[in-house]
Protein backbone atom coordinates (compact mmCIF):
# COMPACT_ATOMS: atom_id res chain seq x y z
CA UNK A 1 0.00 0.00 0.00
CA UNK A 2 2.87 2.41 0.85
CA UNK A 3 4.34 2.02 -2.63
CA UNK A 4 0.97 2.85 -4.22
CA UNK A 5 0.54 5.84 -1.92
CA UNK A 6 4.00 7.18 -2.81
CA UNK A 7 3.30 6.71 -6.47
CA UNK A 8 -0.02 8.61 -6.23
CA UNK A 9 1.63 11.43 -4.25
CA UNK A 10 4.43 11.69 -6.81
CA UNK A 11 1.98 11.99 -9.72
CA UNK A 12 -0.64 14.17 -8.02
CA UNK A 13 1.18 16.14 -5.32
CA UNK A 14 -1.71 18.63 -4.98
CA UNK A 15 -4.43 16.03 -4.53
CA UNK A 16 -6.18 16.02 -1.15
CA UNK A 17 -9.19 13.79 -1.81
CA UNK A 18 -11.79 13.44 0.93
CA UNK A 19 -14.25 11.19 -0.87
CA UNK A 20 -13.44 8.00 -2.76
CA UNK A 21 -15.88 7.07 -5.52
CA UNK A 22 -15.84 3.56 -6.98
CA UNK A 23 -17.48 3.27 -10.39
CA UNK A 24 -19.17 -0.02 -11.24
CA UNK A 25 -20.55 -1.35 -14.50
CA UNK A 26 -22.31 1.34 -16.46
CA UNK A 27 -21.17 4.21 -14.26
CA UNK A 28 -17.90 4.97 -16.10
CA UNK A 29 -19.29 8.15 -17.65
CA UNK A 30 -19.14 9.80 -14.24
CA UNK A 31 -15.40 10.31 -14.82
CA UNK A 32 -16.28 13.06 -17.30
CA UNK A 33 -17.67 15.06 -14.37
CA UNK A 34 -14.32 15.11 -12.58
CA UNK A 35 -12.62 18.45 -13.17
CA UNK A 36 -8.86 18.95 -13.45
CA UNK A 37 -8.31 15.25 -13.12
CA UNK A 38 -4.94 13.60 -12.84
CA UNK A 39 -5.41 10.14 -14.35
CA UNK A 40 -3.29 7.20 -13.28
CA UNK A 41 -3.69 3.71 -14.68
CA UNK A 42 -4.10 0.94 -12.11
CA UNK A 43 -1.29 -0.84 -13.98
CA UNK A 44 1.07 1.96 -12.86
CA UNK A 45 0.10 1.65 -9.17
CA UNK A 46 1.67 -1.20 -7.17
CA UNK A 47 -1.00 -3.39 -5.57
CA UNK A 48 -3.86 -2.02 -7.69
CA UNK A 49 -5.31 -5.13 -9.31
CA UNK A 50 -6.23 -4.80 -12.99
CA UNK A 51 -9.95 -4.54 -13.79
CA UNK A 52 -10.50 -6.93 -16.66
CA UNK A 53 -14.20 -6.50 -17.47
CA UNK A 54 -15.71 -4.50 -20.33
CA UNK A 55 -16.90 -1.14 -19.04
CA UNK A 56 -14.19 -0.95 -16.34
CA UNK A 57 -11.24 1.16 -17.53
CA UNK A 58 -8.98 0.60 -14.52
CA UNK A 59 -7.88 4.17 -13.80
CA UNK A 60 -7.66 6.39 -10.74
CA UNK A 61 -8.87 9.94 -11.34
CA UNK A 62 -7.96 12.65 -8.83
CA UNK A 63 -9.80 15.93 -9.10
CA UNK A 64 -12.93 17.79 -8.11
CA UNK A 65 -16.68 17.48 -8.53
CA UNK A 66 -17.68 21.07 -7.84
CA UNK A 67 -16.17 21.85 -4.45
CA UNK A 68 -15.70 18.18 -3.55
CA UNK A 69 -12.17 16.77 -3.72
CA UNK A 70 -12.52 13.22 -4.98
CA UNK A 71 -10.53 10.14 -5.87
CA UNK A 72 -12.44 8.17 -8.46
CA UNK A 73 -11.69 4.50 -8.95
CA UNK A 74 -12.91 3.98 -12.50
CA UNK A 75 -13.31 0.24 -12.56
CA UNK A 76 -13.10 -2.53 -10.02
CA UNK A 77 -11.47 -5.90 -9.83
CA UNK A 78 -14.19 -8.49 -9.21
CA UNK A 79 -13.77 -11.56 -7.03
CA UNK A 80 -14.85 -13.74 -9.94
CA UNK A 81 -11.83 -12.62 -12.00
CA UNK A 82 -9.09 -14.30 -9.99
CA UNK A 83 -10.93 -15.78 -7.04
CA UNK A 84 -9.62 -13.31 -4.47
CA UNK A 85 -12.04 -11.13 -2.48
CA UNK A 86 -9.41 -8.48 -1.68
CA UNK A 87 -8.84 -7.16 -5.20
CA UNK A 88 -9.69 -3.55 -4.25
CA UNK A 89 -8.23 -3.61 -0.74
CA UNK A 90 -4.88 -1.98 -1.53
CA UNK A 91 -6.58 0.72 -3.59
CA UNK A 92 -8.99 1.53 -0.78
CA UNK A 93 -6.21 1.51 1.81
CA UNK A 94 -4.17 3.92 -0.31
CA UNK A 95 -7.10 6.33 -0.73
CA UNK A 96 -7.82 6.14 2.99
CA UNK A 97 -4.17 6.98 3.71
CA UNK A 98 -4.43 9.86 1.23
CA UNK A 99 -7.20 11.39 3.34
CA UNK A 100 -10.50 9.92 2.14
CA UNK A 101 -13.04 9.45 4.93
CA UNK A 102 -15.92 8.18 2.84
CA UNK A 103 -16.37 5.66 0.05
CA UNK A 104 -19.26 6.01 -2.37
CA UNK A 105 -19.67 2.80 -4.35
CA UNK A 106 -21.76 2.16 -7.42
CA UNK A 107 -22.76 -1.00 -9.22
CA UNK A 108 -25.19 -2.54 -11.69
CA UNK A 109 -27.66 -5.00 -10.23
CA UNK A 110 -30.66 -7.13 -11.02
CA UNK A 111 -33.95 -6.36 -9.29
CA UNK A 112 -36.02 -8.82 -7.25
CA UNK A 113 -38.85 -6.33 -6.76
CA UNK A 114 -41.70 -5.72 -9.16
CA UNK A 115 -41.81 -2.07 -8.09
CA UNK A 116 -38.12 -1.60 -8.95
CA UNK A 117 -37.85 -1.95 -12.74
CA UNK A 118 -34.73 -1.51 -14.90
CA UNK A 119 -33.54 2.09 -14.74
CA UNK A 120 -34.31 2.37 -11.02
CA UNK A 121 -31.74 3.52 -8.48
CA UNK A 122 -31.43 1.73 -5.16
CA UNK A 123 -29.46 2.83 -2.15
CA UNK A 124 -27.96 -0.19 -0.43
CA UNK A 125 -29.27 -0.36 3.14
CA UNK A 126 -27.66 -3.68 4.02
CA UNK A 127 -26.18 -6.68 2.27
CA UNK A 128 -26.11 -10.48 2.09
CA UNK A 129 -22.61 -11.89 1.71
CA UNK A 130 -23.75 -15.09 -0.03
CA UNK A 131 -20.30 -16.45 -0.95
CA UNK A 132 -19.21 -15.84 2.66
CA UNK A 133 -15.89 -14.55 1.38
CA UNK A 134 -13.92 -11.75 3.01
CA UNK A 135 -11.06 -9.47 2.02
CA UNK A 136 -9.90 -9.69 5.64
CA UNK A 137 -8.93 -13.37 5.62
CA UNK A 138 -5.27 -13.48 6.63
CA UNK A 139 -5.35 -10.23 8.58
CA UNK A 140 -4.28 -10.40 12.20
CA UNK A 141 -5.26 -8.48 15.30
CA UNK A 142 -8.61 -7.63 16.79
CA UNK A 143 -9.44 -4.95 14.21
CA UNK A 144 -10.34 -7.68 11.70
CA UNK A 145 -13.50 -8.46 13.70
CA UNK A 146 -15.39 -5.65 12.03
CA UNK A 147 -18.95 -4.86 13.15
CA UNK A 148 -21.20 -4.87 10.09
CA UNK A 149 -24.39 -3.35 11.53
CA UNK A 150 -24.94 0.00 9.79
CA UNK A 151 -22.09 -0.81 7.39
CA UNK A 152 -23.92 1.46 4.94
CA UNK A 153 -23.69 4.66 6.92
CA UNK A 154 -27.13 5.91 8.07
CA UNK A 155 -25.99 9.54 8.03
CA UNK A 156 -24.70 9.29 4.46
CA UNK A 157 -27.87 7.48 3.41
CA UNK A 158 -30.01 10.28 4.82
CA UNK A 159 -27.84 12.77 2.91
CA UNK A 160 -28.26 10.78 -0.29
CA UNK A 161 -32.05 10.67 0.09
CA UNK A 162 -32.12 14.45 0.57
CA UNK A 163 -29.90 14.99 -2.48
CA UNK A 164 -32.17 12.72 -4.54
CA UNK A 165 -35.32 14.51 -3.37
CA UNK A 166 -33.77 17.90 -4.20
CA UNK A 167 -32.90 16.61 -7.68
CA UNK A 168 -36.38 15.14 -8.16
CA UNK A 169 -34.92 11.64 -8.54
CA UNK A 170 -36.63 8.54 -7.10
CA UNK A 171 -34.12 6.69 -4.93
CA UNK A 172 -35.27 3.42 -3.42
CA UNK A 173 -33.53 1.55 -0.66
CA UNK A 174 -33.00 -2.17 -0.17
CA UNK A 175 -30.85 -5.18 0.60
CA UNK A 176 -28.12 -6.09 -1.92
CA UNK A 177 -27.16 -9.74 -2.25
CA UNK A 178 -23.65 -10.48 -3.44
CA UNK A 179 -23.43 -13.44 -5.82
CA UNK A 180 -19.86 -14.39 -6.78
CA UNK A 181 -20.65 -14.82 -10.49
CA UNK A 182 -19.56 -14.49 -13.20
CA UNK A 183 -22.57 -16.57 -14.27
CA UNK A 184 -25.96 -15.01 -13.64
CA UNK A 185 -28.29 -16.65 -11.12
CA UNK A 186 -30.82 -19.36 -11.84
CA UNK A 187 -34.54 -18.62 -11.35
CA UNK A 188 -34.48 -21.02 -8.36
CA UNK A 189 -31.62 -19.05 -6.80
CA UNK A 190 -33.57 -15.83 -7.26
CA UNK A 191 -36.63 -17.35 -5.55
CA UNK A 192 -34.30 -18.36 -2.69
CA UNK A 193 -32.86 -14.83 -2.50
CA UNK A 194 -36.35 -13.32 -2.30
CA UNK A 195 -37.07 -15.58 0.66
CA UNK A 196 -33.83 -14.42 2.25
CA UNK A 197 -34.83 -10.78 1.99
CA UNK A 198 -32.81 -9.60 -1.00
CA UNK A 199 -34.10 -6.68 -3.09
CA UNK A 200 -31.28 -6.66 -5.63
CA UNK A 201 -28.48 -8.98 -6.68
CA UNK A 202 -25.05 -8.26 -8.13
CA UNK A 203 -21.46 -9.49 -8.32
CA UNK A 204 -19.55 -6.85 -6.39
CA UNK A 205 -19.59 -4.16 -3.70
CA UNK A 206 -19.75 -6.38 -0.60
CA UNK A 207 -16.01 -7.16 -0.39
CA UNK A 208 -15.18 -3.47 -0.84
CA UNK A 209 -17.66 -2.50 1.88
CA UNK A 210 -16.02 -4.96 4.28
CA UNK A 211 -12.52 -3.69 3.46
CA UNK A 212 -13.66 -0.07 3.76
CA UNK A 213 -15.31 -0.62 7.14
CA UNK A 214 -12.13 -2.32 8.36
CA UNK A 215 -10.16 0.75 7.25
CA UNK A 216 -12.65 3.06 8.97
CA UNK A 217 -14.18 4.59 5.83
CA UNK A 218 -17.88 5.48 5.94
CA UNK A 219 -19.65 3.68 3.11
CA UNK A 220 -22.51 4.51 0.79
CA UNK A 221 -23.52 2.32 -2.16
CA UNK A 222 -25.91 2.96 -5.03
CA UNK A 223 -27.19 0.24 -7.37
CA UNK A 224 -28.36 0.98 -10.87
CA UNK A 225 -30.98 -1.62 -11.71
CA UNK A 226 -30.29 -2.93 -15.21
CA UNK A 227 -32.70 -5.87 -15.34
CA UNK A 228 -35.22 -7.97 -13.48
CA UNK A 229 -33.35 -10.91 -11.93
CA UNK A 230 -33.49 -14.34 -13.56
CA UNK A 231 -36.97 -15.80 -13.89
CA UNK A 232 -38.74 -12.51 -13.16
CA UNK A 233 -38.92 -11.48 -16.80
CA UNK A 234 -38.28 -12.99 -20.22
CA UNK A 235 -35.16 -10.90 -20.86
CA UNK A 236 -32.06 -12.94 -21.70
CA UNK A 237 -29.32 -11.75 -19.34
CA UNK A 238 -25.83 -10.94 -20.60
CA UNK A 239 -23.10 -8.44 -19.80
CA UNK A 240 -23.88 -6.59 -23.03
CA UNK A 241 -27.50 -6.30 -21.88
CA UNK A 242 -26.34 -4.97 -18.50
CA UNK A 243 -24.16 -2.32 -20.16
CA UNK A 244 -26.85 -1.32 -22.67
CA UNK A 245 -29.47 -0.92 -19.95
CA UNK A 246 -27.02 0.99 -17.77
CA UNK A 247 -26.19 3.33 -20.63
CA UNK A 248 -29.84 4.19 -21.06
CA UNK A 249 -30.09 5.27 -17.42
CA UNK A 250 -26.52 6.49 -16.92
CA UNK A 251 -27.03 10.23 -17.33
CA UNK A 252 -29.60 10.43 -14.52
CA UNK A 253 -27.60 8.08 -12.32
CA UNK A 254 -24.40 10.06 -12.79
CA UNK A 255 -26.17 13.34 -12.06
CA UNK A 256 -27.47 11.87 -8.80
CA UNK A 257 -24.01 10.59 -7.92
CA UNK A 258 -22.54 14.05 -8.48
CA UNK A 259 -25.24 15.59 -6.27
CA UNK A 260 -24.57 13.02 -3.54
CA UNK A 261 -20.82 13.64 -3.65
CA UNK A 262 -21.38 17.41 -3.41
CA UNK A 263 -23.77 16.92 -0.49
CA UNK A 264 -21.24 14.80 1.39
CA UNK A 265 -18.51 17.39 0.81
CA UNK A 266 -20.81 20.19 1.99
CA UNK A 267 -21.70 18.26 5.13
CA UNK A 268 -18.09 17.41 5.91
CA UNK A 269 -15.90 20.36 4.92
CA UNK A 270 -12.22 19.43 4.72
N1 LIG B 1 -27.41 -10.67 -11.39
C1 LIG B 1 -26.14 -10.46 -10.97
N2 LIG B 1 -25.44 -9.39 -11.28
C2 LIG B 1 -26.03 -8.46 -12.05
C3 LIG B 1 -27.33 -8.61 -12.52
C4 LIG B 1 -28.06 -9.78 -12.16
O1 LIG B 1 -29.23 -9.98 -12.53
N3 LIG B 1 -27.61 -7.49 -13.27
C5 LIG B 1 -26.51 -6.72 -13.24
N4 LIG B 1 -25.54 -7.29 -12.51
Amino acid sequence: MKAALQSIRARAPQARPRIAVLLGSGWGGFSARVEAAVRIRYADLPGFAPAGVAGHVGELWLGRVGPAEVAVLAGRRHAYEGGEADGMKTALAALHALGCGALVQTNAAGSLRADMPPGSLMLVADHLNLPQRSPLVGESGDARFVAMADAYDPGLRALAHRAAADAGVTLREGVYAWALGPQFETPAEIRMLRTLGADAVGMSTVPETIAARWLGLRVLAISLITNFAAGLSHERLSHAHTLAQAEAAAAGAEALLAAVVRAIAAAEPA
Side-chain angles (χ1 to χ4, degrees):
M1 186 279 279
K2 292 227 168 69
L5 184 61
Q6 275 170 7
S7 186
I8 296 168
R9 286 207 170 115
R11 286 156 199 258
Q14 314 294 340
R16 299 279 180 278
R18 290 283 171 267
I19 305 169
V21 181
L22 175 45
L23 300 180
S25 295
W27 291 80
F30 179 80
S31 309
R33 294 174 179 265
V34 185
E35 301 142 36
V38 172
R39 298 169 55 167
I40 312 173
R41 294 182 310 150
Y42 290 178
D44 295 330
L45 292 169
F48 275 54
V53 185
H56 291 254
V57 291
E59 286 181 357
L60 172 64
W61 292 44
L62 297 146
R64 294 174 164 278
V65 175
E69 291 237 31
V70 296
V72 178
L73 292 161
R76 60 154 65 80
R77 172 84 169 179
H78 294 80
Y80 60 70
E81 291 180 66
E84 79 290 343
D86 62 355
M88 296 305 288
K89 188 166 144 187
T90 300
L92 294 174
L95 297 188
H96 177 250
L98 207 57
C100 289
L103 168 67
V104 181
Q105 295 205 58
T106 61
N107 61 47
S111 170
L112 281 77
R113 268 172 35 191
D115 69 341
M116 198 162 69
S120 302
L121 291 162
M122 186 191 92
L123 206 54
V124 178
D126 203 345
H127 74 221
L128 293 170
N129 180 351
L130 299 169
Q132 280 296 297
R133 304 279 300 280
S134 171
L136 306 183
V137 170
E139 290 295 337
S140 55
D142 289 355
R144 72 188 130 160
F145 301 109
V146 179
M148 292 299 291
D150 287 337
Y152 299 89
D153 191 86
L156 294 183
R157 276 154 54 201
L159 256 168
H161 280 301
R162 274 201 296 280
D166 289 348
V169 174
T170 304
L171 181 59
R172 292 175 175 81
E173 196 167 271
V175 172
Y176 175 94
W178 173 33
L180 179 63
Q183 75 287 348
F184 286 98
E185 301 72 39
T186 64
E189 286 166 344
I190 294 302
R191 286 193 296 276
M192 172 186 77
L193 292 183
R194 277 171 86 156
T195 310
L196 295 179
D199 298 295
V201 59
M203 303 176 194
S204 68
T205 305
V206 167
E208 295 88 345
T209 296
I210 296 168
R213 292 305 301 139
W214 172 68
L215 290 162
L217 290 157
R218 298 167 77 197
V219 177
L220 188 73
I222 309 172
S223 295
L224 172 55
I225 301 298
T226 53
N227 56 278
F228 281 116
L232 301 182
S233 91
H234 296 298
E235 293 165 303
R236 182 136 198 102
L237 300 183
S238 67
H239 190 56
H241 179 266
T242 296
L243 291 180
Q245 287 295 119
E247 198 176 323
E254 288 157 15
L256 174 70
L257 180 56
V260 167
V261 166
R262 283 201 197 89
I264 295 173
E268 300 175 2

